[in-house]
Amino acid sequence: MQALISDLLAYSRTSISERKYESTDLNKLVQEVKTDLREELTQYNAVIESDKLCTLNIIPFQFRQLLQNLISNSLKFSTKERQPHIAIASEKKLGEEFEIARLSPSTTYCHIRISDNGIGFDQKYHERIFELFQRLHGKDVFQGTGIGLAIVKKIVENHHGFITAKGAPNQGATFDIYLPENKSSS
């Protein structure tokens, strides 16, 4: 019950908290999250690999929460048959270069990709996993409240972007985040 209350408070804070954007190096945030999750990373013997990541005008504490939720999920949904491997990459390009209809052709976006080699999920659930309290597995199989990815989606929306998920059973999961490089702080 305590975890549920804590997660609900975190979700509500993404809606009501002050939205103060700062130029932030995502490499620094990844390092902070790795420090925060040091025990879990050691427990799972996990590897996090990241390229040189973008610097973006973001709400740092929210984006730190986003990274922590996605990395924690990668650990939670890892498989005992493989050492957990999480890859984080980013690139900046014009919307037209991504060939995604939702993107404005003349806007520069930072595309952040976070992928893992865990248990994955059936692609038919790619939208459902971002809804509050939606779980693909019972509580007896995996701990959690079903709020973590809803928080991630809300944070991406706070940054005027969008997130997609791809997966396949026992093939891992990939989360693609598209954020406009320049956004107003309103």
Side-chain angles (χ1 to χ4, degrees):
M1 185 58 112
Q2 184 62 41
L4 178 61
I5 292 168
S6 180
D7 284 351
L8 281 171
L9 286 171
Y11 183 78
S12 73
R13 277 193 297 267
T14 63
S15 298
I16 61 174
S17 63
E18 182 180 335
R19 295 186 182 182
K20 185 176 178 193
Y21 292 86
E22 297 175 18
S23 179
T24 305
D25 181 355
L26 293 182
N27 297 290
K28 181 179 177 236
L29 282 185
V30 168
Q31 289 306 317
E32 290 173 7
V33 170
K34 284 166 96 171
T35 299
D36 292 345
L37 297 175
R38 181 176 45 244
E39 287 181 35
E40 291 91 334
L41 292 168
T42 300
Q43 175 188 343
Y44 286 91
N45 192 28
V47 173
I48 296 179
E49 176 185 350
S50 60
D51 294 341
K52 175 109 174 78
L53 303 174
C54 298
T55 294
L56 278 175
N57 196 31
I58 57 173
I59 307 166
F61 83 90
Q62 284 191 7
F63 223 79
R64 184 173 176 170
Q65 177 77 53
L66 175 147
L67 290 169
Q68 189 162 339
N69 285 10
L70 288 174
I71 292 169
S72 291
N73 266 15
S74 290
L75 297 174
K76 182 189 330 182
F77 297 108
S78 61
T79 176
K80 294 187 183 349
E81 289 79 43
R82 298 185 285 274
Q83 177 184 30
H85 185 268
I86 302 161
I88 306 171
S90 71
E91 62 181 336
K92 282 187 182 180
K93 296 195 297 192
L94 284 174
E96 66 186 5
E97 296 177 81
F98 287 112
E99 298 179 10
I100 297 173
R102 289 179 73 173
L103 300 179
S104 171
S106 59
T107 299
T108 299
Y109 291 88
C110 179
H111 168 216
I112 303 160
R113 173 171 279 167
I114 300 173
S115 58
D116 64 48
N117 63 346
I119 66 167
F121 61 91
D122 190 316
Q123 188 61 29
K124 70 182 176 184
Y125 300 118
H126 75 281
E127 290 182 11
R128 179 178 161 198
I129 63 174
F130 293 110
E131 296 173 11
L132 273 174
F133 306 118
Q134 293 300 311
R135 302 172 52 91
L136 301 183
H137 308 281
K139 288 185 180 183
D140 55 325
V141 180
F142 293 100
Q143 295 291 320
T145 60
I147 298 176
L149 289 179
I151 291 171
V152 166
K153 182 180 181 191
K154 184 69 177 160
I155 291 170
V156 171
E157 289 170 349
N158 287 348
H159 289 83
H160 312 289
F162 72 95
I163 184 169
T164 63
K166 293 183 206 113
N170 207 32
Q171 303 278 324
T174 298
F175 294 88
D176 289 294
I177 301 166
Y178 298 88
L179 301 175
E181 183 174 46
N182 298 311
K183 65 194 122 328
S184 69
S185 56
S186 57

